[in-house]
């Protein structure tokens, strides 16, 4: 018979279903006393011992400081992972900038780096990613995976089917191209879905089974978790809400009248205030004017706040989440138009359901890069999305 180390490999992705389930629960929620871990997984103490012993012996799980169980008085050794045992790279691509981070196994940011993107062409983007990856790996050669977050339609964590802000309208096999350029196992995801993954496993959504993340800025995006699973959709389009019809008659850049993009995006708000005042107005100035009580700006911003409230209520009525996180580079809208948002949310939220719990979080772009790293972490421990090593 082989040794325990042979039976339970150090590679997370090689674990069988039962051992993987235990290890992932500890990764997400640990350190956990054995009794709590058994309760969470619905296991008997004997079954849990049989599953955890080889995980501890192999080094995937470690035993923490002894605690005394309050009921039995028996000593208990909480189980945890070793976050420092793995390093991951995460990168967020915008139209002109690449934001990158190095994280540990729990997506704690250890280092970060930001560089301009010389151009939007796929070969230029891949070359920039490879240069940044090489730079970050000078100090962290032990990186085991790379995650990339991009605003667009991503299929099967490998191909970008569409990314308007980069001018990509045909499929780009980004994961394969980056893997070839860097040698790192690579996974790609929609940037909002990646941010949602990080919040679900390691952030404000840790411990909840249903979660919605709505992002507002240049675009309007949504990430959804139901029954503790991130919704991706059959074709990578899960959470696509940018053209969801709302109140009003504004037209978005794609010609849709009254959609979320045409009502809530930073460009739409700045454009509406510009038109109302007859002079160029940026997004920050539009919010500032609204806050100061300028009538036209106040009307546009309140309309956007109401539209956001309708959108959140619509999603909440459909999903009934435990938590809604509002974020994005246009999140300052919420502070200026909060009253309008709350009124619309109360009006359109189903009366039979509990009030929607909303958490407003102004994430910087490095947090979006952390989200991409979280996707790489998930791929590493679940073993179902990476390009070949």
């Amino acid at each position: 018979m082989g040794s325990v180390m042979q039976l339970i490999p150090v590679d997370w992705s090689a674990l069988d279903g039962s051992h993987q389930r235990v290890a992932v629960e500890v990764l997400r929620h640990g350190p956990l006393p054995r009794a709590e871990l058994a309760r969470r997984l619905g296991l008997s103490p004997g079954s849990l011992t049989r599953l955890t012993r080889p995980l501890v012996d192999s080094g995937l799980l470690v035993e923490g400081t002894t605690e005394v169980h309050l009921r039995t008085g028996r000593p208990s050794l909480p189980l945890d992972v070793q976050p420092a045992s793995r390093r991951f790279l995460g990168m967020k691509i915008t139209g002109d900038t690449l934001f990158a981070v190095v994280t540990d196994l729990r997506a704690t940011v250890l280092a970060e780096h930001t560089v301009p993107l010389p151009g939007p062409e796929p070969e230029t983007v891949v070359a920039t990613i490879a240069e940044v990856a090489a730079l970050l790996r000078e100090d962290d050669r032990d990186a085991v995976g790379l995650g990339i977050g991009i605003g667009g339609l991503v299929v099967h964590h490998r191909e970008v089917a569409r990314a308007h802000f980069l001018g990509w309208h045909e499929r780009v096999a980004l994961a394969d191209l980056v893997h070839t350029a860097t040698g790192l196992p690579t996974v790609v995801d929609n940037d909002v879905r990646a941010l949602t993954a990080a919040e679900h496993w390691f952030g404000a959504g840790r411990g909840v089974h249903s979660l919605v993340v709505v992002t507002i800025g240049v675009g309007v995006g949504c990430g959804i978790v139901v029954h503790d699973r991130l919704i991706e959709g059959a074709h990578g389009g899960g959470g696509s809400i940018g053209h969801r019809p709302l109140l009003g008659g504004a037209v978005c850049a794609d010609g849709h009248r009254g959609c979320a993009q045409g009502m809530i995006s930073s460009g739409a708000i700045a454009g509406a205030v510009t038109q109302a005042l007859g002079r160029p107005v940026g997004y920050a100035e539009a919010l500032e004017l609204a806050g100061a009580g300028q009538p036209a700006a106040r009307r546009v911003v309140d309309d956007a706040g109401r539209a956001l409230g309708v959108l959140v209520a619509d999603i909440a009525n459909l999903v009934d989440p435990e938590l809604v996180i509002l974020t994005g580079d246009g999140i300052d809208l919420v502070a200026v138009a909060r009253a309008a948002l709350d009124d619309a949310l109360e009006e359109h939220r189903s009366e039979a359901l509990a009030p929607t719990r909303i958490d407003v979080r102004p994430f910087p772009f490095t947090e979006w890069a952390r989200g991409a790293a979280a996707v790489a972490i998930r791929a590493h421990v679940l073993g179902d999305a990476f390009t070949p090593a």
Side-chain angles (χ1 to χ4, degrees):
M1 178 179 288
S3 68
V4 169
M5 287 295 288
Q6 291 173 324
L7 291 173
I8 301 297
V10 177
D11 183 1
W12 281 72
S13 63
L15 295 177
D16 64 29
S18 297
H19 290 99
Q20 185 186 81
R21 186 168 170 240
V22 171
V24 169
E25 190 71 16
V26 175
L27 169 65
R28 293 181 57 193
H29 304 291
L32 288 173
R34 283 173 167 79
E36 172 64 12
L37 181 58
R39 185 193 67 78
R40 283 174 169 270
L41 298 175
L43 296 172
S44 68
S47 295
L48 182 71
T49 297
R50 284 191 295 273
L51 290 170
T52 57
R53 183 180 293 124
L55 294 172
V56 172
D57 290 344
S58 70
L60 278 177
L61 298 185
V62 294
E63 295 178 318
T65 305
T66 302
E67 296 180 354
V68 177
H69 194 282
L70 294 178
R71 291 186 179 180
T72 66
R74 298 175 180 172
S76 173
L77 293 174
L79 294 172
D80 204 356
V81 299
Q82 300 185 72
S85 65
R86 301 287 191 279
R87 292 285 191 273
F88 298 86
L89 306 185
M91 300 189 187
K92 153 72 172 174
I93 301 171
T94 71
D96 56 10
T97 306
L98 180 69
F99 299 87
V101 297
V102 179
T103 78
D104 65 13
L105 187 56
R106 280 211 171 102
T108 300
V109 174
L110 306 174
E112 59 185 67
H113 189 69
T114 302
V115 296
L117 200 60
E121 302 81 10
E123 57 272 21
T124 302
V125 173
V126 171
T128 306
I129 289 172
E131 290 173 6
V132 173
L135 177 65
L136 293 176
R137 294 177 76 187
E138 288 180 1
D139 295 324
D140 277 292
R141 295 186 180 276
D142 295 332
V144 297
L146 167 60
I148 299 171
I150 188 169
L153 180 61
V154 178
V155 182
H156 303 312
H157 296 279
R158 298 172 70 86
E159 293 185 333
V160 180
R162 182 179 65 250
H164 287 315
F165 72 99
L166 288 172
W168 296 2
H169 303 297
E170 297 183 359
R171 293 200 175 207
V172 176
L174 188 59
D176 292 330
L177 293 171
V178 171
H179 174 237
T180 299
T182 65
L184 280 171
T186 302
V187 60
V188 182
D189 209 345
N190 170 269
D191 55 357
V192 177
R193 201 155 51 229
L195 184 64
T196 304
E199 288 304 292
H200 179 216
W201 271 33
F202 306 114
R206 184 171 177 255
V208 306
H209 297 284
S210 57
L211 167 71
V212 168
V213 176
V214 176
T215 62
I216 55 176
V218 176
V220 181
C222 180
I224 301 172
V225 173
V226 176
H227 298 311
D228 215 31
R229 295 183 65 87
L230 185 66
I231 302 301
E232 298 179 0
H235 309 97
S240 298
I241 60 167
H243 297 296
R244 180 73 177 167
L246 296 174
L247 305 174
V251 178
C252 77
D254 290 338
H256 302 133
R257 183 172 295 279
C259 71
Q261 186 83 9
M263 293 289 295
I264 304 170
S265 67
S266 54
I269 292 170
V273 175
T274 292
Q275 184 176 13
L277 297 184
R279 65 173 180 84
V281 176
Y283 181 65
E285 185 184 0
L287 297 184
E288 183 179 353
L289 290 170
Q294 203 288 328
R298 183 79 256 178
R299 182 172 60 255
V300 169
V301 170
D302 279 347
D303 284 348
R306 277 189 289 272
L308 179 58
V310 172
L311 181 64
V312 172
D314 194 15
I315 299 168
N317 289 339
L318 179 65
V319 178
D320 191 21
E322 298 167 70
L323 173 66
V324 174
I325 297 175
L326 299 181
T327 188
D329 55 316
I331 195 61
D332 288 346
L333 167 68
V334 175
V336 180
R338 187 59 188 258
L341 186 158
D342 288 341
D343 287 346
L345 182 59
E346 182 178 359
E347 179 183 353
H348 292 273
R349 178 74 161 127
S350 173
E351 294 181 0
L353 300 174
T356 303
R357 177 184 160 205
I358 294 181
D359 190 356
V360 180
R361 291 181 168 259
F363 291 129
F365 277 123
T366 50
E367 281 296 305
W368 293 70
R370 174 178 176 264
V375 174
I377 293 169
R378 285 168 59 104
H380 178 76
V381 302
L382 298 177
D384 60 355
F386 266 141
T387 55

